[in-house]
Amino acid sequence: MIEQPTVQPPMATTLETMPTADSAATLFQASLVRQCSNGIAVPNPQNNPGLVRDCAALLAARDALAGTAPLNWSADRDISSWWGIALGLHPVPIKRVDWLNLGAVDLTGTIPPELGALTELRNLDLSDNQLSGPIPAELGKLSRLMFLYLGANRLAGPIPSELANLTNLQWLDLSDNRLTGAIPPDLRALTNLDLLDLSGNQLTGGIPAWIGDFTEVKWLNLSDNQLVGKIPRELGALTSLEWLSLRRNRLSGQIPPELSALSKLVTLDLSLNNLIGQIPPELRALTKLAVLDLSINQLTGEVPRWLGELVRLKWLSLSINQLTGRIPHELGALVELTNLDLGGNELTDEIPPELRMLVSLEELELWGNELRGNIPAWQSELTNLRELDLSLNQLSGEIPRELGMLAGLEILDLGNNRLTGEIPPELGRLLYLKELDLSGNHLSGGIPRELGMLTNLAILDLGDNGLMGRIPPEIGQLVYLKELDLSENQLSGEVPSDLKFLPNLESVDLWGNELTGSVGGSLAP
């Protein structure tokens, strides 16, 4: 009898010879190493195997990183001419990839884990692109990294705890992404940080008290997240800090007086939270402050007089709180101030004359209080003003003609007060004016034809007054006008036909007058 030969099943043969995923990756990596050893991408490859490995890692990462963007990374080109690549000597004469800078080059892919193989990398900048997906844990292998910029992308998921291995890191910027979860506790190991920016994400949980261990940090930005709880008093230990922003979170409790120890602080922004209590008097020690923004909280008490001691202030915003009392005359000492916003509080009495000393002011916002008295004529001395908003108060008297001397003014809002008299024709000199709101007062007389000289005007609101006479035809010269409100007055006559031809006009309200004619179409009065 002839024995039949033993035949292995075809499937068994296929499975035995099929490469595994790991072996396929190894083969691919070996192929890239061979390409990078061609003497073109890496000159003298036999003397620089580390740069060959860097070359292979970058080629492996190229397509995933670039997405639809072009990258000239190729084995047929010297690696020193690859976009975004800089080489350093580690040590002389051995070259390695030291710097990868592809910020703002329209990358649309993901961050490949292969970048974790660039073991001599000191600077990684992929900011201001359209990268998506997670931050790979493999970046935690870049133990020599000093600067990591991944901000302004579309990265999602948690911050990988492996980044705690980057103990040489000085700058960590993950801002303006879609990162979620809590700030990883392992990051407390990054004690060499000069800058930590996690702003503009969706981070939750509290601000960790251990951030107070970052004694070298100069810039701390956790703004625009969903952080809750109190501001840790441990932040007062950050004695090197120059810039602190916790704005637009859900923080509660009082402002910790321990922040007064931050003697180098130039910017303090705690706005758009749920902070309560009074402004701590201890903060008067922050004599280097240029920016103080505590707006949109629930702070109570009076505006502190000692703020006048912070003579380096350029920006002071305490708006939309529950502050009471008078505007302290001591604020007149802040001669470098360019922005003063006390709007949306419960401040009373008159506008103090000492504010005339603020000759650098560009924005003065005192809207939404209970201020009374006249609008001071001395405000015309604030010749750098671009915005003056005194609306929603109880101011009375006439509009000072001197306001026409504020040649650079772009926004003038005196609406919803108790102003009387006529509209000064001198306002027609404000040639840069874009918004003029005098509504909700007791103004009388006619609409000055000089307002037709305000050729940059986009919003004109004179509604709810006692204005009489005709609408001046010169209003038809305001070619940038988008919104026109003359409602609830005593205007008469025919609507000027030129209003029909204003190219940017979107909204017109002429109701409550004795006018004839129309503006046409959906804009009819």
Side-chain angles (χ1 to χ4, degrees):
M1 179 179 296
I2 301 175
E3 296 183 2
Q4 298 290 329
T6 303
V7 179
Q8 295 292 334
M11 183 59 70
T13 303
T14 303
L15 289 173
E16 289 176 2
T17 58
M18 181 180 294
T20 64
D22 288 342
S23 64
T26 301
L27 291 172
F28 177 63
Q29 182 67 19
S31 171
L32 295 176
V33 169
R34 285 194 298 272
Q35 293 179 48
C36 290
S37 301
N38 63 4
I40 301 175
V42 179
N44 301 316
Q46 65 278 6
N47 295 327
N48 200 345
L51 188 55
V52 171
R53 291 193 297 273
D54 291 347
C55 171
L58 290 169
L59 288 181
R62 179 189 60 196
D63 293 343
L65 178 63
T68 58
L71 273 183
N72 72 340
W73 298 358
S74 167
D76 298 326
R77 181 189 294 267
D78 190 320
I79 191 172
S80 63
S81 68
W82 290 9
W83 291 341
I85 301 298
L87 305 181
L89 301 177
H90 303 278
V92 177
I94 305 300
K95 292 183 177 181
R96 297 293 300 274
V97 173
D98 182 81
W99 186 292
L100 176 52
N101 184 353
L102 289 175
V105 296
D106 296 321
L107 301 175
T108 60
T110 59
I111 300 178
E114 288 85 355
L115 295 184
L118 302 173
T119 54
E120 296 294 333
L121 201 63
R122 298 177 189 271
N123 186 96
L124 176 56
D125 185 354
L126 302 176
S127 63
D128 199 13
N129 284 291
Q130 301 175 48
L131 297 172
S132 58
I135 299 174
E138 286 79 0
L139 295 189
K141 298 177 181 179
L142 303 176
S143 58
R144 294 185 181 273
L145 203 64
M146 300 173 68
F147 304 96
L148 178 57
Y149 307 92
L150 303 179
N153 280 288
R154 302 172 181 175
L155 302 172
I159 299 172
S161 58
E162 288 81 359
L163 296 186
N165 297 325
L166 308 179
T167 53
N168 288 309
L169 209 59
Q170 295 180 17
W171 287 42
L172 176 59
D173 184 352
L174 307 179
S175 62
D176 296 318
N177 280 289
R178 302 169 182 176
L179 302 174
T180 56
I183 300 173
D186 293 340
L187 294 190
R188 68 189 309 165
L190 304 179
T191 54
N192 289 313
L193 283 178
D194 285 334
L195 177 147
L196 177 60
D197 192 344
L198 305 179
S199 63
N201 284 288
Q202 301 168 29
L203 300 176
T204 53
I207 298 175
W210 48 258
I211 287 183
D213 297 335
F214 291 170
T215 54
E216 300 298 319
V217 74
K218 296 180 175 63
W219 180 293
L220 177 59
N221 191 352
L222 304 179
S223 64
D224 293 276
N225 280 289
Q226 301 171 23
L227 300 172
V228 297
K230 297 182 178 181
I231 299 173
R233 63 182 60 192
E234 288 81 358
L235 296 188
L238 303 178
T239 53
S240 297
L241 204 61
E242 299 175 6
W243 205 97
L244 174 60
S245 179
L246 307 178
R247 72 185 300 272
R248 201 183 294 272
N249 278 287
R250 301 173 182 175
L251 301 172
S252 56
Q254 300 188 10
I255 299 172
E258 288 80 2
L259 297 185
S260 62
L262 307 179
S263 59
K264 297 181 180 180
L265 206 60
V266 175
T267 294
L268 176 59
D269 189 347
L270 306 179
S271 62
L272 289 137
N273 281 288
N274 299 311
L275 301 174
I276 60 172
Q278 299 187 9
I279 300 172
E282 291 84 354
L283 297 189
R284 71 195 307 166
L286 302 179
T287 55
K288 293 186 177 180
L289 272 185
V291 175
L292 177 59
D293 194 341
L294 306 179
S295 62
I296 315 182
N297 280 287
Q298 301 172 33
L299 300 174
T300 54
E302 297 187 348
V303 177
R305 297 179 181 275
W306 52 259
L307 287 175
E309 301 171 14
L310 305 181
V311 293
R312 297 188 182 183
L313 274 178
K314 298 181 182 300
W315 182 294
L316 176 59
S317 181
L318 306 178
S319 63
I320 313 183
N321 280 286
Q322 300 168 23
L323 300 174
T324 56
R326 300 178 177 182
I327 298 174
H329 65 83
E330 287 84 354
L331 297 187
L334 304 178
V335 294
E336 295 185 18
L337 209 61
T338 61
N339 295 73
L340 176 59
D341 189 351
L342 304 178
N345 283 288
E346 301 168 19
L347 302 176
T348 57
D349 213 333
E350 300 184 357
I351 300 173
E354 288 80 5
L355 296 191
R356 72 193 306 166
M357 304 302 296
L358 305 181
V359 293
S360 297
L361 268 188
E362 297 177 7
E363 295 185 14
L364 176 58
E365 301 194 35
L366 304 178
W367 58 273
N369 283 287
E370 299 172 15
L371 300 174
R372 54 184 176 80
N374 296 338
I375 296 176
W378 54 254
Q379 288 184 338
S380 62
E381 301 172 17
L382 306 178
T383 54
N384 289 304
L385 272 184
R386 292 185 292 105
E387 180 172 348
L388 176 60
D389 191 344
L390 306 179
S391 63
L392 296 160
N393 279 288
Q394 301 173 25
L395 299 171
S396 56
E398 297 187 351
I399 299 173
R401 297 178 181 274
E402 291 83 353
L403 294 185
M405 299 171 60
L406 297 174
L409 205 62
E410 297 178 9
I411 297 175
L412 176 59
D413 192 345
L414 307 178
N416 292 284
N417 279 286
R418 300 174 181 176
L419 302 174
T420 56
E422 299 185 356
I423 299 174
E426 287 82 359
L427 297 187
R429 300 173 183 173
L430 304 176
L431 301 183
Y432 292 99
L433 206 63
K434 297 177 182 178
E435 299 182 20
L436 176 60
D437 189 343
L438 307 178
S439 64
N441 283 288
H442 307 299
L443 301 174
S444 57
I447 298 174
R449 64 181 62 236
E450 287 83 358
L451 297 188
M453 300 172 60
L454 304 176
T455 53
N456 287 299
L457 206 62
I459 298 174
L460 176 59
D461 191 348
L462 307 179
D464 195 15
N465 278 288
L467 301 174
M468 300 179 292
R470 295 176 176 269
I471 299 174
E474 288 81 1
I475 300 298
Q477 301 173 12
L478 305 179
V479 294
Y480 292 107
L481 200 63
K482 292 183 178 180
E483 300 178 19
L484 175 63
D485 190 343
L486 305 178
S487 64
E488 301 298 335
N489 280 287
Q490 301 173 34
L491 300 171
S492 58
E494 189 169 356
V495 176
S497 59
D498 287 347
L499 294 186
K500 299 178 181 179
F501 305 108
L502 291 176
N504 295 295
L505 200 57
E506 298 174 357
S507 172
V508 173
D509 192 349
L510 305 178
W511 294 104
N513 288 287
E514 300 176 7
L515 297 166
T516 59
S518 69
V519 181
S522 61
L523 301 179

